[in-house]
């Protein structure tokens, strides 16, 4: 029975290690075009101790949430401006050229 418990604990630890690193890489790759340390973060997530990787994954999650929130606000403000001004300048130019 002890042997089976040891095997289960070992399996659970390997599963946790893989899951932790998979999550870290996923968070690092999100918005990678807007972060300058993606390659470093991915490499770190493969070699650093699990607890360090978990902590850095939280940091990346917060960074990604910030980028997402910024994009949402920027898109909302842009849409509001388009509504107030009657569309983008490009759309207005097209309408003017169409009416000539």
């Amino acid at each position: 029975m002890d042997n089976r418990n040891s095997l289960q604990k070992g399996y659970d630890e390997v599963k946790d290690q893989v899951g932790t690193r998979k999550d870290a890489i996923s968070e690092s790759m999100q918005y990678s075009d807007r972060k300058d340390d993606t390659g470093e973060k991915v490499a770190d997530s493969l070699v650093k101790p699990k607890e360090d990787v978990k902590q850095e994954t939280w940091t990346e999650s917060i960074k990604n949430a910030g980028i997402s929130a910024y994009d949402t606000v920027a898109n909302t403000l842009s849409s509001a401006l388009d509504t107030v001004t009657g569309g983008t300048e490009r759309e207005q130019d097209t309408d003017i050229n169409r009416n000539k």
Side-chain angles (χ1 to χ4, degrees), residues 8-9 13 24-25 34 36-37 41 46 58 67 74 81-82 88 90 92:
Q8 184 63 44
K9 285 180 183 178
E13 178 59 27
I25 291 170
R34 297 169 72 180
D36 59 353
D37 60 351
K41 293 287 184 182
L46 295 173
W58 281 103
I67 292 170
L81 179 63
D82 287 348
T88 63
R90 186 184 62 215
Q92 290 174 353

Side-chain angles (χ1 to χ4, degrees), residues 22-30 35 57 60-61 64:
K22 180 181 169 192
D23 292 345
I25 291 170
S26 176
E27 287 295 329
S28 295
M29 295 303 294
Q30 192 174 9
K35 296 186 277 187
T57 301
E60 284 297 305
S61 295
N64 291 337

Side-chain angles (χ1 to χ4, degrees), residues 10-26 45-46 48 50 53-54 57:
Y11 172 79
D12 291 344
E13 178 59 27
V14 168
K15 188 175 173 183
D16 189 41
Q17 287 277 353
V18 170
T20 296
R21 292 164 201 301
K22 180 181 169 192
D23 292 345
I25 291 170
S26 176
S45 68
L46 295 173
K48 282 189 172 182
K50 180 179 70 174
V53 172
K54 283 185 177 184
T57 301

